[in-house]
Short mmCIF file of all heavy atoms in Angstrom, two decimals:
data_model
loop_
_atom_site.label_atom_id
_atom_site.label_comp_id
_atom_site.label_asym_id
_atom_site.label_seq_id
_atom_site.Cartn_x
_atom_site.Cartn_y
_atom_site.Cartn_z
N VAL A 10 6.33 47.46 78.33
CA VAL A 10 6.66 47.15 79.72
C VAL A 10 5.83 48.05 80.62
O VAL A 10 5.83 49.26 80.49
CB VAL A 10 8.17 47.36 80.00
CG1 VAL A 10 8.49 47.07 81.45
CG2 VAL A 10 9.00 46.51 79.07
N SER A 11 5.11 47.42 81.52
CA SER A 11 4.32 48.22 82.47
C SER A 11 5.08 48.30 83.79
O SER A 11 6.07 47.62 83.99
CB SER A 11 2.95 47.59 82.69
OG SER A 11 3.08 46.38 83.39
N GLY A 12 4.57 49.09 84.70
CA GLY A 12 5.22 49.25 85.99
C GLY A 12 5.16 48.01 86.85
O GLY A 12 5.99 47.80 87.72
N SER A 13 4.19 47.10 86.61
CA SER A 13 4.04 45.92 87.45
C SER A 13 4.92 44.76 87.00
O SER A 13 5.17 43.84 87.76
CB SER A 13 2.58 45.48 87.49
OG SER A 13 2.16 45.10 86.20
N ILE A 14 5.39 44.79 85.79
CA ILE A 14 6.26 43.71 85.28
C ILE A 14 7.62 44.32 84.98
O ILE A 14 7.74 45.32 84.29
CB ILE A 14 5.67 43.09 84.01
CG1 ILE A 14 4.31 42.48 84.27
CG2 ILE A 14 6.61 42.04 83.46
CD1 ILE A 14 3.64 41.91 83.04
N SER A 15 8.63 43.67 85.48
CA SER A 15 9.98 44.18 85.23
C SER A 15 10.37 43.92 83.78
O SER A 15 9.80 43.08 83.10
CB SER A 15 10.98 43.52 86.18
OG SER A 15 11.19 42.17 85.78
N PHE A 16 11.36 44.63 83.32
CA PHE A 16 11.85 44.46 81.95
C PHE A 16 12.31 43.01 81.73
O PHE A 16 12.03 42.42 80.70
CB PHE A 16 13.00 45.44 81.69
CG PHE A 16 13.61 45.27 80.33
CD1 PHE A 16 12.94 45.74 79.21
CD2 PHE A 16 14.81 44.61 80.16
CE1 PHE A 16 13.48 45.58 77.95
CE2 PHE A 16 15.35 44.45 78.90
CZ PHE A 16 14.69 44.93 77.79
N GLY A 17 12.98 42.44 82.71
CA GLY A 17 13.49 41.07 82.58
C GLY A 17 12.36 40.06 82.41
O GLY A 17 12.45 39.14 81.59
N GLU A 18 11.30 40.22 83.18
CA GLU A 18 10.17 39.30 83.07
C GLU A 18 9.50 39.43 81.71
O GLU A 18 9.12 38.44 81.08
CB GLU A 18 9.14 39.60 84.17
CG GLU A 18 9.59 39.20 85.56
CD GLU A 18 8.55 39.61 86.60
OE1 GLU A 18 7.40 39.13 86.52
OE2 GLU A 18 8.90 40.44 87.46
N SER A 19 9.35 40.66 81.25
CA SER A 19 8.74 40.90 79.95
C SER A 19 9.60 40.28 78.84
O SER A 19 9.07 39.64 77.92
CB SER A 19 8.61 42.40 79.72
OG SER A 19 8.04 42.66 78.46
N TYR A 20 10.89 40.43 78.94
CA TYR A 20 11.82 39.86 77.96
C TYR A 20 11.72 38.33 77.97
O TYR A 20 11.64 37.70 76.92
CB TYR A 20 13.25 40.32 78.27
CG TYR A 20 14.29 39.75 77.35
CD1 TYR A 20 14.50 40.30 76.09
CD2 TYR A 20 15.07 38.66 77.73
CE1 TYR A 20 15.44 39.79 75.23
CE2 TYR A 20 16.02 38.13 76.88
CZ TYR A 20 16.21 38.70 75.62
OH TYR A 20 17.15 38.19 74.79
N ASP A 21 11.71 37.75 79.17
CA ASP A 21 11.62 36.30 79.28
C ASP A 21 10.33 35.77 78.66
O ASP A 21 10.33 34.74 77.99
CB ASP A 21 11.69 35.87 80.75
CG ASP A 21 13.08 36.07 81.35
OD1 ASP A 21 14.04 36.26 80.58
OD2 ASP A 21 13.18 36.03 82.60
N LYS A 22 9.23 36.47 78.87
CA LYS A 22 7.95 36.06 78.29
C LYS A 22 8.00 36.13 76.77
O LYS A 22 7.49 35.25 76.07
CB LYS A 22 6.81 36.92 78.82
CG LYS A 22 6.44 36.58 80.25
CD LYS A 22 5.27 37.43 80.72
CE LYS A 22 4.96 37.09 82.19
NZ LYS A 22 3.81 37.86 82.68
N GLU A 23 8.61 37.19 76.24
CA GLU A 23 8.72 37.34 74.78
C GLU A 23 9.57 36.22 74.19
O GLU A 23 9.21 35.63 73.16
CB GLU A 23 9.31 38.70 74.43
CG GLU A 23 9.49 38.94 72.93
CD GLU A 23 8.18 38.91 72.17
OE1 GLU A 23 7.12 39.20 72.75
OE2 GLU A 23 8.22 38.57 70.96
N ILE A 24 10.68 35.91 74.84
CA ILE A 24 11.54 34.81 74.36
C ILE A 24 10.78 33.49 74.41
O ILE A 24 10.84 32.69 73.48
CB ILE A 24 12.84 34.73 75.21
CG1 ILE A 24 13.69 35.98 75.01
CG2 ILE A 24 13.64 33.47 74.88
CD1 ILE A 24 14.17 36.20 73.59
N ALA A 25 10.03 33.25 75.48
CA ALA A 25 9.24 32.02 75.60
C ALA A 25 8.19 31.95 74.49
O ALA A 25 7.97 30.88 73.90
CB ALA A 25 8.58 31.95 76.97
N ASN A 26 7.55 33.07 74.18
CA ASN A 26 6.56 33.10 73.10
C ASN A 26 7.19 32.80 71.75
O ASN A 26 6.62 32.07 70.93
CB ASN A 26 5.85 34.46 73.06
CG ASN A 26 4.89 34.66 74.20
OD1 ASN A 26 4.43 33.70 74.81
ND2 ASN A 26 4.57 35.92 74.49
N GLN A 27 8.37 33.34 71.51
CA GLN A 27 9.07 33.09 70.25
C GLN A 27 9.46 31.61 70.13
O GLN A 27 9.32 31.01 69.07
CB GLN A 27 10.31 33.98 70.15
CG GLN A 27 9.99 35.43 69.92
CD GLN A 27 11.23 36.31 69.91
OE1 GLN A 27 12.36 35.83 70.04
NE2 GLN A 27 11.03 37.62 69.77
N ARG A 28 9.94 31.05 71.23
CA ARG A 28 10.31 29.62 71.20
C ARG A 28 9.09 28.76 70.93
O ARG A 28 9.15 27.80 70.16
CB ARG A 28 10.95 29.23 72.53
CG ARG A 28 12.36 29.72 72.69
CD ARG A 28 12.98 29.24 73.97
NE ARG A 28 14.33 29.78 74.10
CZ ARG A 28 14.89 30.08 75.25
NH1 ARG A 28 14.27 29.88 76.38
NH2 ARG A 28 16.12 30.57 75.27
N GLN A 29 7.98 29.08 71.57
CA GLN A 29 6.75 28.31 71.36
C GLN A 29 6.28 28.42 69.92
O GLN A 29 5.86 27.43 69.32
CB GLN A 29 5.65 28.78 72.32
CG GLN A 29 4.39 27.92 72.25
CD GLN A 29 4.65 26.48 72.62
OE1 GLN A 29 5.28 26.20 73.64
NE2 GLN A 29 4.19 25.57 71.80
N ALA A 30 6.38 29.60 69.35
CA ALA A 30 5.98 29.80 67.96
C ALA A 30 6.85 28.94 67.03
O ALA A 30 6.35 28.33 66.08
CB ALA A 30 6.07 31.27 67.58
N ARG A 31 8.16 28.90 67.30
CA ARG A 31 9.05 28.07 66.49
C ARG A 31 8.70 26.60 66.62
O ARG A 31 8.68 25.86 65.63
CB ARG A 31 10.51 28.29 66.88
CG ARG A 31 11.13 29.53 66.25
CD ARG A 31 12.64 29.52 66.38
NE ARG A 31 13.11 29.59 67.75
CZ ARG A 31 13.35 30.70 68.43
NH1 ARG A 31 13.16 31.86 67.84
NH2 ARG A 31 13.77 30.67 69.67
N MET A 32 8.42 26.15 67.84
CA MET A 32 8.06 24.74 68.05
C MET A 32 6.75 24.41 67.35
O MET A 32 6.62 23.35 66.74
CB MET A 32 7.95 24.44 69.55
CG MET A 32 9.29 24.38 70.26
SD MET A 32 10.44 23.17 69.55
CE MET A 32 9.56 21.65 69.83
N ASP A 33 5.77 25.32 67.42
CA ASP A 33 4.50 25.10 66.73
C ASP A 33 4.73 24.98 65.23
O ASP A 33 4.16 24.10 64.57
CB ASP A 33 3.52 26.24 67.03
CG ASP A 33 3.03 26.24 68.47
OD1 ASP A 33 3.23 25.24 69.19
OD2 ASP A 33 2.44 27.27 68.88
N GLY A 34 5.56 25.85 64.68
CA GLY A 34 5.87 25.80 63.25
C GLY A 34 6.61 24.53 62.88
O GLY A 34 6.33 23.92 61.85
#
């Protein structure tokens, strides 16, 4: 987490990446 992105935004992006990976699989 950097100072320009809030923890919530970072978490949301990680969850979105995980969902996309599952859909790709």
